Amino acid sequence: MATTVEGTGSGDPAATGLAGHDRQRPPIVWQVLSALVLLAMGGIHLYYVAVLGAGGLIGVLFVLNAIGGLVLAIAMLATRRRLLRLASVLSLLFMAGTLLALVLALTVGLLGIREQWGGELVAPTLVVESIGTIVLVVTATLVFRRRGASTAGSTNSGPGSLT
């Protein structure tokens, strides 16, 4: 007599209890996009120092921004679960803070520096950091939703469940 498990041959992940496994992390596409915008932001700041010659306090802050962007980009790709939550929130705050600093430098001035709208790379920087903030909001939202959904789904130990 053959024994079958309900839903095993259907190919439907929900029927076999595998539906929760896809929810354990956000799609890798969003993690990669997040890493790319962080690298782009850091690259722009490094360009300001290396090519355009930004020096003094601003130069130091720009180098730190480039290092922070690189570290957070690596974290977005290399971490999982709780550390990915932390990396996504820190990345979002970092990107939004950098965008806010640029807007302040363009409007009221920041650290004694007042940036001009026509300055080199100002427009691309605004675009990269605005898009980056949006991408990181989506990524962070997915990280928290997927984590919550997989936690809620992991308590199901009914027929066909692998837990």
Side-chain angles (χ1 to χ4, degrees):
M1 179 171 199
T3 306
T4 61
V5 177
E6 183 180 335
T8 336
S10 69
D12 179 18
T16 59
L18 298 175
H21 290 284
D22 289 337
R23 294 183 184 147
Q24 290 180 353
R25 63 184 173 90
I28 192 71
V29 171
W30 287 102
Q31 286 176 260
V32 170
L33 284 173
S34 296
L36 288 175
V37 294
L38 286 162
L39 289 173
M41 179 200 55
I44 289 171
H45 286 86
L46 192 58
Y47 179 85
Y48 266 103
V49 174
V51 177
L52 300 179
L57 178 61
I58 280 295
V60 171
L61 292 175
F62 279 14
V63 169
L64 290 175
N65 185 285
I67 293 168
L70 176 64
V71 169
L72 288 169
I74 291 169
M76 288 302 297
L77 296 174
T79 59
R80 298 287 178 254
R81 294 185 184 96
R82 281 196 175 131
L83 287 178
L84 182 57
R85 290 174 121 183
L86 178 63
S88 65
V89 169
L90 289 177
S91 296
L92 174 58
L93 292 173
F94 190 68
M95 183 71 70
T98 303
L99 178 60
L100 177 62
L102 178 57
V103 170
L104 287 174
L106 285 167
T107 55
V108 296
L110 182 66
L111 300 173
I113 294 173
R114 178 133 177 154
E115 185 62 68
Q116 301 297 317
W117 284 100
E120 190 167 351
L121 292 181
V122 169
T125 303
L126 280 170
V127 170
V128 166
E129 292 176 359
S130 297
I131 291 171
T133 301
I134 293 167
V135 166
L136 286 161
V137 164
V138 171
T139 304
T141 301
L142 288 173
V143 167
F144 280 87
R145 277 193 185 161
R146 304 267 175 166
R147 179 72 178 147
S150 66
T151 303
S154 67
T155 60
N156 181 10
S157 58
S161 175
L162 297 177
T163 56

